[in-house]
Amino acid sequence: MAATEEDAETIKSYLPDSLPAHLIDVKPQIRIDGEVKATGDAVTMGARQNFQMNFSYPDQIGMGSDTINNEVTAGAQYVVTLDTGRVSQKQAKLKETKQNLENENFDQVQSEALTGDILHTIGLSYFAELDMFGSLLEQNHKVKATRITSVAITAAKLNVSYMFGQPRTASPGGLSIDVDRDLNVVKSVMGDNEKEKSYNKTTGMISSYLEKSIFEQTFGGEAVSTMHIINHANQNGIKVYTINQDNVDSVLHQLEYSADKKQNFRNLINKGKVITVPKKEVTINGWQGTGYIVENPDDGTAAYMISGGLNGGQMTIPQVLALTVAIVCFSILASFAVVGLIANIPTILGGLATAMGYETIKLLLFDVAFNRGNKSLKSIMASL
């Protein structure tokens, strides 16, 4: 959120153009179901922060603690979505928000909750579809998979330019999903370890496809994920290598990446991992980068990485960039009466379609006309 009313006014005066991040302070907040649980000190918009999640289990379960660190950007919005094996129980609140929007009960809708629901719905949809495919694959592979608490972070990102390490300007960076934990305990009904390995590899590839398709289902257009990048490389004559300890010395020098990235690959391979990666970066609808698979050959589990350190997918088509601006407006400015975002919305078409039932989300959320308010905000909404 904006640290002060003066910061909110500065943001408002520059929208929808890029923001002078060095002139704006924001405060980090943690909300659970719309309720503020913690607020941090003011920092400059665009400052890099560390967000840490700790997972622990009772001793008798036999699983150790797990700590996940993510670099986040001050001024962007992040939603943590958990899958504990019962995704469908979350849809009641989404339906309530949708109903309030359709009935124009705007006084019942918190703007922070609204933007959170957009991102949360994407995360829920991802896990709902992934668990559906997982259930089908259990039958096919004759295994039993038990979901262990998993987590995805869906974000409305900012692109920040820096000068001497300090933020200068900030602009919308699109939407992304970063699946930090996708864990299952998998046991073969017949005691066949190869079936377990095959299940893990197949669900891993499906998870990567979903990190792309969940955005395409929502917005249309074309998103990127690891499997999409590898397929794109194959279809466009870019060689894809599978690198292990046997061929690392002969293959690594053929890759057209920085020395740091190739050293990272070597470090992973030295730890027993197998890397699948295109020879060079690809360009997809203006997005440029690479994707690679880091597989554990013992059990078939893998991380599916894309440029930027995400274990997930990303979308930056123009409609999504405009939606990112809208989300930033709601999340940063809405706490200040000077903006009056929700109170000024006379019409909202569509809403948050329920993420359950594996249906396509239709986020026709911001077909908006303001009775009063900032003209630049009107132009943002008109572009959606």
Side-chain angles (χ1 to χ4, degrees), residues 145-157:
T146 302
R147 167 69 70 185
I148 304 299
T149 301
S150 300
V151 62
I153 297 180
T154 312
K157 302 174 66 179

Side-chain angles (χ1 to χ4, degrees), residues 19 40 65-66 102-103 131 166 189 195 217 228 282 295 319 345 349 362:
L19 301 174
S65 61
D66 187 15
E102 291 178 340
N103 293 337
D131 288 349
Q166 298 301 311
V189 175
K195 290 288 187 182
Q217 292 173 40
H228 181 216
V282 302
E295 182 185 344
Q319 297 92 327
I345 300 180
L349 290 181
K362 299 299 182 184

Side-chain angles (χ1 to χ4, degrees), residues 54-217:
N54 297 307
F55 296 83
S56 58
Y57 302 89
D59 292 339
Q60 57 268 32
I61 292 181
M63 297 184 65
S65 61
D66 187 15
T67 299
I68 297 173
N69 290 288
N70 284 281
E71 183 180 275
V72 296
T73 303
Q77 185 171 11
Y78 303 84
V79 172
V80 177
T81 300
L82 296 174
D83 182 359
T84 61
R86 297 190 60 182
V87 174
S88 61
Q89 66 185 347
K90 302 288 187 179
Q91 65 178 314
K93 188 176 185 303
L94 299 176
K95 286 183 177 179
E96 179 185 346
T97 299
K98 179 176 181 289
Q99 193 67 42
N100 283 328
L101 290 174
E102 291 178 340
N103 293 337
E104 299 189 6
N105 297 326
F106 302 126
D107 58 337
Q108 300 297 314
V109 179
Q110 291 185 338
S111 51
E112 296 91 339
L114 181 61
T115 57
D117 279 349
I118 295 172
L119 298 175
H120 190 44
T121 299
I122 294 171
L124 287 176
S125 299
Y126 167 81
F127 277 127
E129 295 191 23
L130 180 59
D131 288 349
M132 177 191 70
F133 283 114
S135 295
L136 296 174
L137 289 169
E138 282 184 68
Q139 301 172 33
N140 181 261
H141 286 72
K142 293 182 172 57
V143 300
K144 176 62 179 175
T146 302
R147 167 69 70 185
I148 304 299
T149 301
S150 300
V151 62
I153 297 180
T154 312
K157 302 174 66 179
L158 288 179
N159 282 334
V160 182
S161 65
Y162 296 88
M163 182 177 291
F164 303 112
Q166 298 301 311
R168 295 297 298 173
T169 63
S171 58
L175 303 182
S176 69
I177 184 169
D178 185 10
V179 184
D180 283 329
R181 279 168 60 100
D182 177 17
L183 300 181
N184 287 281
V185 175
V186 182
K187 292 295 181 183
S188 169
V189 175
M190 308 301 293
D192 187 342
N193 291 338
E194 289 302 312
K195 290 288 187 182
E196 297 171 5
K197 183 176 177 179
S198 176
Y199 174 89
N200 288 331
K201 292 186 70 170
T202 305
T203 54
M205 288 186 287
I206 290 174
S207 71
S208 181
Y209 277 112
L210 288 176
E211 289 157 1
K212 164 184 180 288
S213 71
I214 203 65
F215 289 115
E216 295 174 348
Q217 292 173 40

Side-chain angles (χ1 to χ4, degrees), residues 272-292:
K273 306 299 185 184
V274 175
I275 306 294
T276 301
V277 62
K279 180 177 182 178
K280 61 182 181 179
E281 292 187 345
V282 302
T283 300
I284 303 173
N285 284 343
W287 181 92
Q288 184 172 354
T290 192
Y292 56 96

